[in-house]
Amino acid sequence: MTRFRMPAHFRLALAGVAALTLVGSALAPAASGTPAEAVDRPEYVALGDSYSAGVFVRPWDASDGCGRSARNYPHQVAEQLGFELTDVTCGAAEVIDGVLAPQPPSKIYGPPSIPPPDGWEEQDPQIEALSPDTDYVTVGIGGNSLGFGAIVTKCIELGITQPFQTTPCTKYYTNGGAGEGWLNEKFAALDRDFGHMMSAIHAHAPHAKVAVVGYPAIVPDNSGCSFLHWNQLGSIKKGDMPWLDGLEGDLNGLLERHADKPRTTYVDVYGPSVEHGVCESGHEKWMYGIRDNLTGDGDQTDPPSEACSKIPGTGEACTFVHPNARGLDNQARQVTKALTSEG
């Protein structure tokens, strides 16, 4: 029997796969100041995870590990609409460990990706930023509660360890695969917890208009993707990308269903970004890949963690599939429209 020997480029990629479990979570920065002239401005509170925080887009707040970008949609919306902003979004935040309960240091990943010697401090529950005086709330959350980072990491691993399979990740999570039950339980728990969170948001901010912000398109079209390109999706097989896109559609569908309360709207960020996924190039690409070059303003850098250093690729940082600067601008456009629409 001929013994299969994994090619060198596969072995290199596999060496970095284990490290991805330490990187594959979402991230975000902190609250803005309150100038004296802002007392009469509408009060706006932004809740959410790394996609709302705008992690890895310069400039970000390096003080607490949440990675909030000054270019994220909360900051852009507040500036455009003249709102007084309280931004408590944080990378890796979950519905429970983040919005409804404290976010522990073990679930704070930066940037900066290398924490201080004593580690990051626990983040207060984001919902505590709300009050009866709050006029507007945005909430973009759910991906981490579903385990999207772990799912992407598993797809990366299976793409390396099952080189002759064209859809190893799809098979793992569907049709009786080993991960199907786990994923179904994750969706059921997220559905329950998201409903509790929405009720709590309206209880804490009873007069506010609330916008539930969906997730942008990551890989709606895999035609531009190449295997082992780490500024895209690395070792995820092209055959698995339609399933990943469908998973994101199911997640957005869950969020939209929970935006059915009075004074609540759903913000579709996916639709306007379908031609700007991670497989596009140049200015048409609105998503970071697994390891990619940073975007935004200034020259801020993120020295790679030990785990990131093991991941193949030449990108500046382990950005792990988040909106880049153009992606943040798209989010801001859609959220601004939603908050200024009637209803």
Side-chain angles (χ1 to χ4, degrees):
M1 178 183 294
T2 302
R3 188 174 181 181
F4 170 72
R5 179 173 176 81
M6 187 175 289
H9 63 283
F10 278 92
R11 296 199 303 272
L12 175 62
L14 181 58
V17 162
L20 286 164
T21 59
L22 302 177
V23 183
S25 299
L27 317 163
S32 64
T34 307
E37 64 271 18
V39 292
D40 294 325
R41 293 192 293 169
E43 296 189 11
Y44 163 37
V45 178
L47 316 175
D49 60 22
S50 56
Y51 275 60
S52 294
V55 299
F56 292 112
V57 175
R58 303 177 178 121
W60 60 77
D61 179 350
S63 67
D64 61 3
C66 283
R68 298 179 201 89
S69 172
R71 189 166 170 166
N72 66 14
Y73 73 76
H75 281 80
Q76 291 198 50
V77 168
E79 182 177 357
Q80 291 175 36
L81 300 182
F83 292 169
E84 179 184 346
L85 172 64
T86 300
D87 181 3
V88 291
T89 58
C90 190
E94 301 175 11
V95 172
I96 302 298
D97 291 346
V99 176
L100 296 177
Q103 185 172 344
S106 62
K107 291 186 176 181
I108 299 174
Y109 301 114
S113 297
I114 300 176
D118 295 333
W120 301 115
E121 292 186 4
E122 178 179 88
Q123 293 293 301
D124 292 335
Q126 295 181 20
I127 201 165
E128 292 182 355
L130 303 179
S131 77
D133 294 326
T134 303
D135 298 294
Y136 293 93
V137 179
T138 56
V139 56
I141 200 84
N144 296 317
S145 299
L146 183 64
F148 193 77
I151 293 167
V152 170
T153 300
K154 187 67 176 180
C155 293
I156 290 169
E157 173 193 331
L158 293 172
I160 293 294
T161 59
Q162 299 186 18
F164 300 117
Q165 291 284 342
T166 56
T167 58
C169 198
T170 305
K171 292 179 179 178
Y172 184 85
Y173 286 109
T174 64
N175 298 321
E180 183 178 29
W182 174 87
L183 183 57
N184 288 340
E185 290 176 3
K186 283 288 190 179
F187 263 112
L190 175 59
D191 193 28
R192 179 191 65 237
D193 294 342
F194 206 95
H196 293 163
M197 180 194 70
M198 291 302 296
S199 296
I201 288 173
H202 283 287
H204 281 73
H207 310 298
K209 180 171 183 177
V210 180
V212 177
V213 182
Y215 289 90
I218 296 173
V219 59
D221 179 2
N222 65 10
S223 60
C225 269
S226 299
F227 191 62
L228 294 184
H229 281 211
W230 295 91
N231 68 332
Q232 297 178 349
L233 293 179
S235 58
I236 295 179
K237 295 294 185 71
K238 289 184 73 169
D240 281 324
M241 293 179 190
W243 176 79
L244 270 178
D245 183 57
L247 177 69
E248 188 183 8
D250 291 341
L251 173 59
N252 279 333
L254 185 152
L255 305 188
E256 186 172 11
R257 289 195 302 274
H258 283 284
D260 61 352
K261 293 179 170 56
R263 303 184 313 282
T264 306
T265 188
Y266 174 72
V267 184
D268 175 21
V269 179
Y270 181 98
S273 61
V274 291
E275 296 181 357
H276 303 280
V278 71
C279 297
E280 302 297 331
S281 59
H283 292 291
E284 298 304 313
K285 180 181 176 181
W286 293 358
M287 292 293 301
Y288 285 130
I290 303 296
R291 183 164 181 168
D292 219 330
N293 292 326
L294 298 174
T295 60
D297 303 316
D299 57 1
Q300 204 166 15
T301 61
D302 184 55
S305 64
E306 181 179 355
C308 180
S309 298
K310 296 178 181 178
I311 297 173
T314 58
E316 297 173 77
C318 289
T319 44
F320 207 83
V321 196
H322 286 94
N324 61 22
R326 289 174 291 278
L328 299 192
D329 294 345
N330 172 60
Q331 290 175 309
R333 288 191 295 271
Q334 309 315 319
V335 175
T336 298
K337 273 191 235 175
L339 293 183
T340 54
S341 65
E342 296 296 327

